[in-house]
Amino acid sequence: MRLRGFDVAAPSTLDDATVSQKLWEIVEAMSEIGLYLYGTDHSNDRELYESLVSEILLEGTLLDPDDPYTGKFCDLIGRGSEEQSEFGDRLPAHEPRPFNRGRFLPTMERRLARLANG
């Protein structure tokens, strides 16, 4: 993303309001090159921003931003370590999502529809 002129600020340099703004800028920029997030409703904006700039955006990913039919899907829930899997084979009790951001995240389907409509 930096090659496309996108500036990613260190989380520690941003207040909470700016983190939220920058987070959505990054999410939109990611979708423009075919990189999509899901499973983000368990993290607040700062936690998600920190995860993006310290892990996800540093991973090497080969994408063709000019081909809307290719993409990478990043599942943030499935990124936990075995140590974090405290439930083993048991499912935990259902809890409401602390953050309801998932329904607003860009998707490949929305990108394709936008391109089809001009």
Side-chain angles (χ1 to χ4, degrees):
M1 287 183 33
R2 285 188 178 109
L3 293 175
R4 295 180 73 110
F6 194 86
D7 182 39
V8 179
S12 61
T13 65
L14 305 174
D15 62 33
D16 288 343
T18 307
V19 163
S20 295
Q21 176 188 348
K22 289 291 188 184
L23 171 64
W24 283 103
E25 289 174 9
I26 289 174
V27 167
E28 289 295 331
M30 290 170 62
S31 74
E32 291 298 318
I33 62 171
L35 190 56
Y36 305 96
L37 298 173
Y38 63 99
T40 67
D41 289 346
H42 64 287
S43 299
N44 66 37
D45 285 356
R46 182 169 295 279
E47 292 167 338
L48 179 55
Y49 185 87
E50 288 174 354
S51 180
L52 289 175
V53 301
S54 67
E55 297 174 43
I56 295 168
L57 295 178
L58 298 179
E59 294 175 2
T61 302
L62 184 59
L63 295 168
D64 182 356
D66 297 323
D67 182 356
Y69 295 98
T70 62
K72 179 179 178 183
F73 301 88
C74 300
D75 177 6
L76 275 73
I77 291 177
R79 297 178 67 82
S81 68
E82 288 184 29
E83 280 180 12
Q84 293 171 324
S85 180
E86 63 187 86
F87 299 105
D89 292 334
R90 299 177 297 116
L91 289 176
H94 175 75
E95 294 181 15
R97 298 175 185 170
F99 305 94
N100 192 10
R101 148 188 334 106
R103 63 190 172 123
F104 300 111
L105 291 173
T107 64
M108 180 181 276
E109 292 80 10
R110 289 183 197 143
R111 180 181 185 203
L112 292 173
R114 188 178 66 248
L115 292 171
N117 293 326

